[in-house]
Amino acid sequence: MIFSRRRGGSGRHARDERPGGPADVARDSPAEENAAPERGPYDSSEAPEGVQRLDLGSLHIPAVEGVEVRVQANPDGSVQQVVLVDGGNALQLAVFAAPRSEGIWAEFREEIRTSLFNDGVAAQESDGEHGVELRARVRTPEGLTDLRFVGVDGPRWMVRGIFQGPVAADPGVSDRLTRAFEGLVVDRGGEAKPVREPLPLRLPREVAEQQAAQQEAAQQQAAQQQPATPATNGAAPGDQQPHKRKPSPRPRRAD
């Protein structure tokens, strides 16, 4: 399922998200304690207003012109995968529960690096606009592809983005995907969840109802096109069953 949205109202800003950077100093200042960050991903409590977003439950995706939101969902409306596409570039998104006391991106990053290494792929760390990232080049059926893994720790959540294609090697190739990532909003909710558990994503109700109606219509159409089962014993329609002749009585031997 593909959603195409028009351009939203959020832009790209320069905020240092690395530990100990200006952003952390600003948040420790009493005057700036409640100030909204200049760019996201945002927590739902601090997200800027007036931006058109696709509501997927725990994750709200901003509308950016030229970016398609491709969602893989189950029949019940639960979302299994979210990918933003801009031409030959893609951004896969996921959001996880995290503890209140510390972030989990560093732990995730090390696990990703180990997994890639076991597959024969070397991943390198680099400093990005959101802190430490991982970059790798993998072989796909279409050839070699660049990947860039970005993680952002928020209040009791962590967003992971996987940039794929030319944008993974040069973020300036697709400023639209960068703006979409920085405009994300996470609605963590107050329910207690195990650390590292993916936060639930769901299609908007009207979209889920539309998808269910389309699936039901497709099933009905398939049922109507299915050939009827013949009533005869395995014979094709129109075939006539041969008449069974009654066996002739055996002649009796005279005593």
Side-chain angles (χ1 to χ4, degrees):
M1 182 169 293
I2 299 175
F3 301 90
S4 297
R5 301 294 185 182
R6 296 182 179 179
R7 186 173 181 175
S10 60
R12 184 179 179 183
H13 304 278
R15 181 170 70 99
D16 191 352
E17 290 286 344
R18 287 172 293 183
D24 295 310
V25 175
R27 289 194 179 220
D28 290 339
S29 173
E32 301 292 337
E33 184 177 357
N34 297 323
E38 296 179 358
R39 72 174 180 211
Y42 303 96
D43 187 72
S44 58
S45 63
E46 57 188 12
E49 299 179 356
V51 179
Q52 182 186 4
R53 301 184 182 93
L54 175 63
D55 184 352
L56 295 180
S58 297
L59 195 62
H60 299 189
I61 301 174
V64 178
E65 184 181 13
V67 174
E68 291 182 349
V69 182
R70 299 183 179 179
V71 177
Q72 179 180 340
N74 294 326
D76 63 356
S78 59
V79 173
Q80 296 300 310
Q81 188 178 69
V82 181
V83 180
L84 311 187
V85 178
D86 178 17
N89 300 284
L91 169 60
Q92 183 178 340
L93 298 171
V95 59
F96 304 88
R100 188 185 303 273
S101 56
E102 59 184 359
I104 58 176
W105 168 234
E107 184 179 344
F108 262 79
R109 190 171 66 244
E110 187 59 32
E111 291 179 359
I112 294 171
R113 186 216 301 272
T114 301
S115 177
L116 291 172
F117 179 80
N118 292 337
D119 291 337
V121 177
Q124 296 181 344
E125 288 189 347
S126 62
D127 290 331
E129 295 185 351
H130 294 277
V132 181
E133 305 174 347
L134 274 183
R135 299 194 181 197
R137 178 168 291 182
V138 299
R139 186 174 299 278
T140 67
E142 292 76 24
L144 291 176
T145 301
D146 289 310
L147 298 178
R148 179 162 54 96
F149 300 84
V150 181
V152 176
D153 289 307
R156 301 174 65 218
W157 53 259
M158 191 272 287
V159 169
R160 185 198 65 201
I162 305 176
F163 290 86
Q164 181 175 348
V167 69
D170 180 7
V173 169
S174 177
D175 182 67
R176 291 187 287 261
L177 285 181
T178 301
R179 287 191 286 112
F181 183 76
E182 294 179 347
L184 294 173
V185 175
V186 178
D187 187 357
R188 167 64 173 79
E191 182 181 353
K193 295 182 180 299
V195 174
R196 301 167 59 95
E197 179 178 292
L199 295 181
L201 301 176
R202 294 191 62 84
L203 291 174
R205 184 173 59 182
E206 61 274 13
V207 176
E209 292 175 350
Q210 179 182 4
Q211 177 179 269
Q214 292 175 348
Q215 291 178 345
E216 183 178 356
Q219 292 174 355
Q220 292 178 352
Q221 183 177 4
Q224 293 174 356
Q225 294 176 351
Q226 186 177 359
T229 303
T232 54
N233 296 329
D239 289 351
Q240 293 182 352
Q241 296 292 322
H243 294 287
K244 294 183 179 180
R245 298 179 58 185
K246 293 183 178 180
S248 302
R250 281 185 174 186
R252 287 186 174 183
R253 273 190 319 177
D255 293 335

